[in-house]
Amino acid sequence: MADTKQNKRIFSGIQPSGNLTLGNYLGALKNFPLLQNDYECYYCVVDLHTLTVRQDPEALRERSYSLIALYLAAGLDPEKNVLFLQSHVPQHAELSWILGCYTYMGELNRMTQFKDKSSRHADNINGGLYTYPVLMAADILLYQTDAVPIGQDQKQHLELARNIAERFNKIYGDTFVVPEPFIPKTGARVMSLQDPTKKMSKSDDNANNFVLITEDEASIMKKFKRAVTDSGSEIIFDEENKPGISNLINIYASIKGISREDVEKEFAAARYGDFKMAVGTAVCETLAPIKARYEELMKDKQYLESILRKNGEKARTVAGETLKDVYRKVGFIV
Ligand code: TYM
């Protein structure tokens, strides 16, 4: 195994396909800095993945800088973590081709995100959308990753990456570390504020459904005030019968780092309206300093650029070792 690492490794990625939502924050980004002292962490801006849906080139470039700035603003230390762009490391695309030859169409056909995205973009069901989970497997396996911090919606993709790794290891001997998902207890699936039966998503057409990490406070408070609640008046976690309140409990628990039961106790005597305002306030308190740091960082593109260049180099070295091992094993002349 091309595995010269000293510490356990973490890899995760976020697409620069829109402004990040509270869902991206609670499901993924918030957990990234918590790992930086105990693991060797690779956090990637997965720009290749975004082309599965049409992008405006200038906007995509800007959002890639934006996402690196958000990684930093959320507390990731650029000296401790490898923060980089996927397109700066050609090994991702190269390994993806190889792994595609070890992935069955039956497996890709089962991916719920493919089914969901192809129904939303019926005029552009392209090959990339279909093979997207293979590229994601390549992202993870290139770095001999032990754990992948992700939200619930990426669990199926991670299971596929594990299956591909195991299959490859069985044929060629130990080549890849088989990664574990790292899914938070609360905040792993933040739902839409207006329709709590569907996931909060940065590509949603209705802006009232989501809260952005960089949104201003007045607007965040307005959205929580208008958030859909359920019949009854009790603040209890019951996803089936009270999806709206359950979503708000989940958000508050995740933001405060407490359990759902603690939230129920804290608001046992509160009314829906007061609870919604408390959740909005807690969200604003957490996001405001991140937004302020983000705005500062976006003024210094040169600094962001220097991080990308330096880290791209580091990522290419590690990824190159794995790819070389794979090339040798499958029978290429290296
Ligand atoms: P993406 O860019 O859609 O989302 C980034 C991260 O945010 C999480 N997330 C959520 N968590 C809780 N509630 C929500 N409503 C919510 N919406 C999004 C996602 O689970 C994800 O962790 N395929 C990935 C990107 C990717 C990747 C990787 C991730 C590419 N390669 C390798 C990990 C490892 C995606 O589209 O995430």
Side-chain angles (χ1 to χ4, degrees):
M1 193 182 291
D3 189 3
T4 52
K5 64 190 188 189
Q6 317 266 309
N7 283 321
K8 292 229 172 213
R9 280 208 191 121
I10 299 286
F11 180 97
S12 197
I14 299 182
Q15 292 196 62
S17 54
N19 292 320
L20 259 55
T21 68
L22 181 64
N24 297 122
Y25 180 69
L26 298 180
L29 188 57
K30 168 176 177 276
N31 303 310
F32 293 179
L34 305 178
L35 302 161
Q36 64 187 352
N37 292 324
D38 300 318
Y39 297 89
E40 190 181 325
C41 301
Y42 292 78
Y43 293 118
C44 186
V45 171
V46 290
D47 48 1
L48 298 184
H49 279 91
T50 66
L51 296 189
T52 52
V53 173
R54 288 275 178 274
Q55 303 290 335
D56 171 66
E58 269 322 307
L60 175 59
R61 236 185 304 279
E62 188 65 17
R63 284 197 307 264
S64 293
Y65 284 116
S66 236
L67 188 45
I68 283 291
L70 265 184
Y71 278 178
L72 296 168
L76 286 175
D77 178 344
E79 299 300 323
K80 283 192 184 152
N81 303 276
V82 184
L83 309 176
F84 69 105
L85 280 191
Q86 190 183 28
S87 58
H88 287 180
V89 184
Q91 288 87 354
H92 288 247
E94 292 176 276
L95 182 63
S96 177
W97 166 254
I98 306 232
L99 297 183
C101 300
Y102 298 82
T103 309
Y104 300 116
M105 288 180 63
E107 290 176 307
L108 295 177
N109 287 337
R110 281 198 292 276
M111 295 293 117
T112 52
Q113 197 156 52
F114 170 69
K115 291 186 216 167
D116 174 49
K117 282 204 178 162
S118 36
S119 68
R120 276 192 288 131
H121 302 277
D123 55 338
N124 183 20
I125 306 176
N126 57 68
L129 201 58
Y130 188 61
T131 55
Y132 174 114
V134 180
L135 179 59
M136 179 161 161
D139 298 341
I140 298 166
L141 300 182
L142 267 180
Y143 299 91
Q144 305 296 351
T145 302
D146 295 283
V148 187
I150 39 172
Q152 185 67 35
D153 64 335
Q154 296 301 317
K155 190 164 178 253
Q156 194 187 32
H157 290 160
L158 192 90
E159 272 158 14
L160 178 66
R162 287 171 57 88
N163 290 341
I164 298 172
E166 281 167 354
R167 183 170 304 143
F168 197 96
N169 287 349
K170 208 164 156 201
I171 304 173
Y172 298 102
D174 269 0
T175 307
F176 299 118
V177 169
V178 180
E180 298 288 337
F182 176 91
I183 298 175
K185 278 205 182 73
T186 54
R189 192 167 166 77
V190 176
M191 310 306 276
S192 150
L193 294 181
Q194 292 299 315
D195 177 1
T197 60
K198 70 175 199 191
K199 191 184 72 165
M200 182 181 283
S201 165
K202 55 188 176 241
S203 51
D204 204 306
D205 296 330
N206 179 358
N208 283 323
N209 284 340
F210 55 75
V211 161
L212 299 176
I213 299 182
T214 52
E215 198 161 328
D216 67 72
E217 289 192 28
S219 169
I220 295 179
M221 290 307 288
K222 204 163 20 162
K223 288 184 182 176
F224 276 102
K225 201 170 176 182
R226 287 193 192 144
V228 163
T229 47
D230 318 287
S231 56
S233 59
E234 272 185 309
I235 296 165
I236 45 170
F237 191 83
D238 175 353
E239 271 178 323
E240 203 168 312
N241 299 309
K242 285 177 166 268
I245 285 294
S246 299
N247 187 33
L248 296 174
I249 291 178
N250 200 22
I251 292 171
Y252 190 81
S254 173
I255 283 274
K256 293 282 188 187
I258 58 177
S259 69
R260 289 168 188 151
E261 293 75 26
D262 287 339
V263 183
E264 289 172 348
K265 272 186 220 141
E266 187 177 337
F267 293 96
R271 285 173 306 185
Y272 279 176
D274 299 330
F275 179 50
K276 288 203 275 186
M277 288 302 93
V279 181
T281 305
V283 168
C284 288
E285 277 168 8
T286 299
L287 297 185
I290 298 176
K291 173 174 152 65
R293 278 199 297 275
Y294 163 80
E295 280 165 2
E296 270 310 298
L297 285 158
M298 281 303 277
K299 289 183 196 148
D300 194 352
K301 289 267 173 62
Q302 243 175 330
Y303 172 63
L304 299 174
E305 186 74 34
S306 73
I307 290 179
L308 291 180
R309 298 292 157 197
K310 203 166 81 191
N311 286 284
E313 187 73 43
K314 278 193 215 164
R316 279 196 296 277
T317 305
V318 175
E321 284 173 25
T322 301
L323 190 69
K324 201 164 162 196
D325 186 36
V326 169
Y327 273 17
R328 196 181 303 117
K329 285 188 166 139
V330 298
F332 297 164
I333 298 174
V334 290

